[in-house]
Each structure stands twice: as structure tokens, then as C-alpha cells.
Amino acid sequence: MKIIKAEAFDFHCTSRMVRDSEGHAHPGKEHDAKLGFFRVTCDDGTTGCAVGGKMNVDILKNVVGPAIIGEDPFYHERIWQRMRTWQRLHSTFTDRTLCALDLALWDICGKKCGQPVYKLLGAYRDKVPAYGSIMVGDDIPGGLDTPQAYADYAVQLVKKGYKAIKLHTWMPPIIPEPDPKMDIKACAAVREAVGPDIELMLDPYHDYSRQEAYYLAKELEKLNFLWLEEPMDEHSMSSYKWLTDQVDLQICGPETMEGKNRMRAEWVAAGASDIGRAGTEVTGGITSLMKSVHLYESFGMSIELHGNTIGNLHVLGAMPIAGKYYERGLLHPMLDYEQPKPWFKEIYDPMDSDGFVHIPQDPGLGWKLNTDYIDSNKIA
């Protein structure tokens, strides 16, 4: 079995998601947007695909594509390791782009074996509880513009079956300066609204000082929050070591710090967090993420996965140690998460009334891509 073709291109799509000047997502008017698509085809006709995820289409088309022609897709570890080393000099070859390649290869392997990817990884569970991951705060009336708006929306999420909720609070440019006291007002309002039995987490502004992060953690302890995630610049590992030593609240990280599993090994050795954090898009795919999973397992630590990616969902199905939750979102009262995007025939992570997302059971990754829509909207 050999790879004979690799295609990468952007395609037009309609979206109601807009991003502010700092990159945070908010609901907006429907508009034309574009997404990346990557498809690998083998000599027996088997294909594997990846979509979105901020992949660099130029790198996939001009660097990755030619390099994998003639390769056996089952040698995905060898291919991944080779491409990882190429990231050093190809400065725009991001982990999100490496993830697109890795997902496509795992998709092929699962299809060829007639099994969902999580079973190839070593299945541990068929479903995982989800937490509702609320979008960052905004200034939209009827949106997430006040602490009470957060509380009202959290009640709606509990009614839908969520047993856990994570807040992302207000960040620039919506507010001129981040305000930890405003963050705590939203957290307190949500705790009061949902009661003591719903687990709550906070992912605030990511560049607070040590003193501000300490204030957040101590206040969240009073509110019985489960964890605090990335409140400071993750390049300062010593700051996270300091905070983890100072407070009882669990500190979760690193999330966006580059370095894949090797950087996470440094954090474990330093005792810089209580809970690990990683994900397919921020570490370079399923192949990479499983290395971090087994790293944390070796130290008896849990690891939570970043984002609602289909790769994360399969890894969660294979993890013998928590990941306690699947991050479902980003959620907002003015957006319908259950409505599939036009490039999907259906969503890949529907949640049941008990708050569980079931791992896709179709061979490969199991997402129902609308390839007719994607191909017909290809940007030349």
C-alpha cells in the first residue's frame, strides 16, 4: 500500500464565527470564509482527510505532499518523525499543519483495517463525559457581556446535560485591560446559578502576573473550582512551579507552549502543574499526543485535552488515565453548536442527555465530511 497523491487547498465556506484583533472567536454575521483541506490517496483508492485546524496549505502542498509520495501510510510514526525534524528550518511548518498530515494517515489506517482509530490506539472506553466550554466574554447584548449572562447561560447548559462547565472570560480587545476581579464575579455568578454539584473550571486571560494568578486561584478555591488553566505566560515555567506550590487549586498546563511531549516532560520534572494539558492540534497530531498521554500515565498524573477535535476524541477513547472530560465548544448563547457546519454532513461529537459524547465507530476517524461541498468550493 503506497501513497500516490496528496492534495492541499483552501475552500470557500459560510461562517458565523468572527475573530477579534487578538484572535478570539465571537459570533457574528454570516460571511464568506475559507478553510484548509488535506487529502491523501493510496494506490488502492483509500483516502484520508483532514479539514480546518489552521493548517498551512502551502506547506502541505509544496513540502509535505511531495515528501510522502510512495510512502506506506502505516509507517505513520516514521513519517511523523521525519516531518517533525523538518519543522526546524521550515518556520511556517506548524504543529497544526503536522497534525493535518497525521490525522489523514490515521484516517487511512483505520479505514484499511475496518476499525475506528481509537481501537487501533488500544481502546479503553467508548464514551467520555463532556464539559461545556464557554466562549470568551464579549460586549454583545444577549451574549456574554455580564457575569449574570454567564450564569444564565450556564443554567441552560446544565439543562442540556452538561455536568461540567469551563469559562473563558473577558480579554482584550473587548476590555482595555484584563481584570481578574471581573473574572471572579463571573465565576461566582455561575457557581451560585448551577449549585455545588456541577464541576467548574476557568481559562482566563493568559498573561496575568504571578500576583493576579495567585488571586484568581485563591478565589476559585473558595468557589470549589476544579482547575485553573493557563493564567500566565507559559514560557515562564518557574512561574507555574511557584503558583502550583502556593495554592491547593489544581493548575492545568501547559496548553500552547511549543515543544510537544518533550516540553511537557520538563514541566512534569519541574512540578510546574498538577494536571497536564495537550491536544492534537497544539502538539502535532494523534501520534504526538499519545506520547504525552503515556508520559503523564507514567507519573500517575492526569492530562486534559485541548479542544473539540476529532483526534482528541479518539485519543480520549484510548486513554487509561483521565482526561476526565472532552472539551465541547466553544459555546455561546447566540450560536447553535448542534447544527453541523456546511462542510460536514453531521457533527462528529453529538452529546447524549447524560452528558456523554460517544467515540465515532466508523472506520478511520469517522467524521462525515461533505466532500462534494469542499471540492465544489475549492479556491484555485
Side-chain angles (χ1 to χ4, degrees), residues 28 44-45 63 83 169 197 201 206 213 291 295 298 366:
D44 67 346
V63 177
M83 293 297 100
T169 39
D197 297 329
M201 300 82 84
H206 306 125
K291 299 177 192 298
L295 163 70
S298 298

Side-chain angles (χ1 to χ4, degrees), residues 36-78:
F37 181 66
F38 184 56
R39 178 165 51 207
V40 176
T41 304
C42 296
D43 51 9
D44 67 346
T46 307
T47 62
C49 301
V51 64
K54 299 181 182 178
M55 66 179 73
N56 186 318
V57 167
D58 288 338
I59 288 289
L60 289 168
K61 181 179 179 180
N62 299 313
V63 177
V64 173
I68 64 174
I69 299 300
E71 292 280 0
D72 182 339
F74 278 91
Y75 280 71
H76 46 77
E77 177 71 30
R78 183 174 71 187

Side-chain angles (χ1 to χ4, degrees), residues 250 253 261-276 290-303 320-322:
Q250 295 182 102
N261 55 298
R262 293 177 179 177
M263 174 52 64
R264 283 158 180 80
E266 297 295 332
W267 275 56
V268 171
S273 66
D274 302 290
I275 303 171
M290 289 301 296
K291 299 177 192 298
S292 291
V293 167
H294 293 309
L295 163 70
Y296 284 101
E297 179 188 8
S298 298
F299 284 89
M301 293 177 63
S302 64
I303 173 175
I321 188 167

